[in-house]
Amino acid sequence: MGTIVPNDRGRRGLTYTLLTPANRYMSRRPDLAGAAYYKLVTPRLAPSRFGQELIAAGEDEVVTRISSGCERFIIGMSGESAVRLGDEQIVLGEGGYTYLGQTRDFVLELAAGASIISIARRYEPWPGLPEPEPVFGRLSEVPATPTAVPGLRRRLLLDPDDPAFDFNISHMEFGPGVALPQIEIHDEEHGLYMTSGGGLYHLDGDEHVVSADDYICMAPYCPQGFRAGPEGGSYLLYKDTWRDGF
Ligand code: UGY
Ligand code: MN
């Protein structure tokens, strides 16, 4: 007997998953009829405390009201997308993003063919700190700050010094051959979406070739490291922050 079909790098490890475009499998939701809807991770993948999804409109536009009781980060990946908050329409488009606290109800609009990534989690309040106000920004306008590693720059899309946020989103940008300086092992979990280039990802003792549009979910304490390939690489990184993990 031969193999069923060749696998395409997708993997479910004990402390991580790697989802490639060829391994993703579409889900359905009543408000997203006609759209491609991929649940990259949900809290059903224990012990994940967040969800991340990719929504790509088909031939029809998507207009849906979101009132889930979660805080959300939404970033436009391609085409024309927008968020309507009360009377205000905030255009996202490629690289435009928003953070909306969990008490905000809003309408998400995607033109035909547009796509977005959305991240949601139940907000973990901290005594004395208010829910963060809505944030609107554009990836290209966030300063890319150099790190201790030459050739590695990081854009922080939410205010890293505001402890009211219980997560942050970074855009990590690696020059050709540039690597993280250590195999990190930490309590915070990650949702990682490769936005360009590629390289080699170390995940809990395994090494995987990764490229644009791959997705990795890392559980707490998943050993992790990355070296970019000859064209460099970048990824969007969710990381919980400012809380004690309990
Ligand atoms: O901030 C981080 O944890 C980051 N250095 N991790 C990663 O890129 N895998
Ligand atoms: Mn990390």
Side-chain angles (χ1 to χ4, degrees):
M1 279 223 304
T3 52
I4 301 169
V5 287
N7 187 15
D8 198 338
R9 298 183 294 113
R11 175 77 187 275
R12 165 142 190 204
L14 269 183
T15 57
Y16 69 92
T17 55
L18 168 62
L19 274 185
T20 71
N23 290 115
R24 282 186 212 140
Y25 196 83
M26 237 159 38
S27 298
R28 302 177 81 185
R29 212 170 73 186
D31 59 332
L32 298 177
Y37 171 48
Y38 297 102
K39 292 185 271 191
L40 302 172
V41 65
T42 72
R44 293 203 298 185
L45 182 68
S48 171
R49 289 189 184 171
F50 74 109
Q52 187 159 358
E53 56 196 18
L54 173 66
I55 301 173
E59 288 174 6
D60 297 324
E61 62 172 3
V62 167
V63 179
T64 181
R65 175 165 289 281
I66 310 276
S67 49
S68 63
C70 286
E71 57 179 340
R72 283 185 188 261
F73 175 90
I74 297 175
I75 184 163
M77 300 302 285
S78 66
E80 288 172 24
S81 52
V83 158
R84 192 175 287 279
L85 191 61
D87 294 337
E88 209 185 339
Q89 191 204 41
I90 300 100
V91 173
L92 300 177
E94 197 177 324
Y97 66 86
T98 183
Y99 166 89
L100 296 167
Q102 68 180 4
T103 58
R104 309 278 168 174
D105 290 355
F106 62 96
V107 174
L108 175 65
E109 303 172 337
L110 272 71
S115 63
I116 56 115
I117 281 182
S118 166
I119 293 173
R121 61 171 281 168
R122 303 252 177 242
Y123 181 58
E124 266 184 83
W126 189 268
L129 295 177
E131 172 183 289
E133 289 298 312
V135 174
F136 305 105
R138 185 154 296 282
L139 181 59
S140 57
E141 289 166 12
V142 177
T145 41
T147 65
V149 178
L152 170 57
R153 301 187 313 164
R154 185 171 195 147
R155 293 175 209 258
L156 281 152
L157 278 56
L158 302 175
D159 181 356
D161 298 320
D162 183 352
F165 287 106
D166 60 0
F167 73 89
N168 212 319
I169 306 287
S170 304
H171 194 248
M172 308 283 289
E173 301 168 359
F174 298 77
V178 173
L180 289 174
Q182 61 177 149
I183 298 296
E184 304 171 9
I185 303 179
H186 53 66
D187 178 71
E188 292 79 10
E189 54 184 344
H190 281 317
L192 182 163
Y193 194 94
M194 289 294 303
T195 47
S196 72
L200 206 55
Y201 228 101
H202 174 109
L203 294 162
D204 200 359
D206 303 328
E207 282 191 350
H208 295 280
V209 173
V210 293
S211 53
D213 293 315
D214 284 349
Y215 178 76
I216 302 169
C217 178
M218 292 177 234
Y221 302 96
C222 173
Q224 59 200 261
F226 178 65
R227 180 175 293 281
E231 26 163 2
S234 64
Y235 52 79
L236 198 65
L237 187 71
Y238 162 91
K239 178 175 189 168
D240 51 296
T241 181
W242 284 118
R243 299 294 184 267
D244 56 15
F246 281 78

